[in-house]
Amino acid sequence: MDQLNAEAIKGAAQTQLIGQEIDVQGEVDSTNAALLRRTRVGALEGTVVIAESQTAGQGRLGKPWFSPPGVNLYLSVLLKPPFHIHEAHVLTLMGSLAVADALEAQGVTAQVKWPNDVLVAGKKIAGVLSEVEAAEGHIGHLILGIGVNLNLERHTIDSLLGTEAARATSLQEVLGHGVDRNAFAGLLLEKLEAHYFAFQAKGRLPLLSEWRKRSFLGSRVSVRVEGIAKDIDDEGCLLVTLDDGSTMRIREGEVLPLPRTDSQK
Ligand code: BT5
């Protein structure tokens, strides 16, 4: 079992901001929570907390993120972007896009799924949880938490996820061999920084169009309503065309893919 190592991650990441400070932990409750504690005592933008395991890994809306030791990536990045709170959603999309880029660099075709998932062959390989604190409409800080299943074996996926195991995968399962977690973490930080800097220099539109290219838009989904996932808007919200032709804008929710209907064929 390889061990996470700050110097090895830094060596693999050609970055100027993200990962200048990397705090490698053994077991934590949640890397987002650990980084929030550091933020309260003055952590700098770009600080990363990464852990071998989490005892209370968080998904959205209180859901768990299964975080067994020594096989995956659980990391959180502190960002302090000079953005309006409305941009926070786009930063979550940025996280999933960076994971998809890092997977592509391993020769794997990855898809992003609104709002926070990365899928390979339709199965979830990574998830993003961003937690933001804002004042007067502006982001004070945003903690971008990313979990990626790397060297997780099928039998562990099955025992952790039970009935949902068929919807999850890992890079090892896809490639047929394990990967170097430090190298993957470095690559991911590099991809994140490239998107983050481009976002600041050119605004959100180029990022959103890259996200669209890697997404499942165009398929039939159920969110709270059923319709076609048509697009994302400039704030990163999902636009769903309903069967009556109207469009609904969705800020939060779980998107379930549905079979295609005759009208789509
Ligand atoms: C997410 O939530 O996908 C966000 C996951 C973010 C995890 C990272 S790890 C580092 C940082 N620290 C944290 O505490 N969190 C972040 P959501 O879309 O709500 O998906 C949660 C659902 O995914 C669960 O209800 C399970 O069905 C499924 N799931 C849980 N663990 C999984 C895993 N390891 N692989 C694939 N699916 C999983």
Side-chain angles (χ1 to χ4, degrees), residues 161-220:
L161 280 155
T163 53
E164 290 168 37
R167 294 211 299 265
T169 191
S170 70
L171 190 52
Q172 165 159 319
E173 182 170 64
V174 173
L175 291 175
H177 58 81
V179 296
D180 180 331
R181 289 184 300 149
N182 292 309
F184 190 90
L187 183 64
L188 176 57
L189 298 183
E190 210 173 287
K191 300 288 184 194
L192 259 183
E193 180 167 292
H195 283 302
Y196 188 53
F197 284 178
F199 189 174
Q200 301 207 23
K202 300 183 209 153
R204 59 194 168 183
L205 297 184
L207 191 144
L208 290 170
S209 76
E210 277 192 60
W211 191 94
R212 286 185 180 98
K213 278 189 225 146
R214 287 194 187 277
S215 78
F216 66 102
L217 295 171
S219 16
R220 190 163 181 89

Side-chain angles (χ1 to χ4, degrees), residues 105-124:
Q106 311 284 318
V108 170
T109 303
Q111 222 187 7
V112 291
K113 173 171 170 266
W114 189 89
N116 68 324
D117 290 348
V118 184
L119 310 181
V120 173
K123 296 180 179 183
K124 183 158 172 168

Side-chain angles (χ1 to χ4, degrees), residues 28-33 49 54 56-68 72-76 113 115-118 123-131 143-149 152 157 160-161 164 167-169 253-254:
V28 289
D29 46 356
S30 147
T31 56
N32 274 27
V49 172
Q54 301 183 115
Q58 296 291 310
R60 291 171 307 135
L61 312 168
K63 286 186 277 182
W65 185 255
F66 297 109
S67 311
N72 289 337
L73 280 193
Y74 316 110
L75 66 83
S76 300
K113 173 171 170 266
N116 68 324
D117 290 348
V118 184
K123 296 180 179 183
K124 183 158 172 168
I125 195 165
V128 179
L129 177 70
S130 45
E131 295 181 286
I143 291 179
L144 192 64
I146 301 179
V148 191
N149 295 336
L152 194 61
I157 299 177
L160 289 175
L161 280 155
E164 290 168 37
R167 294 211 299 265
T169 191
E254 190 67 34

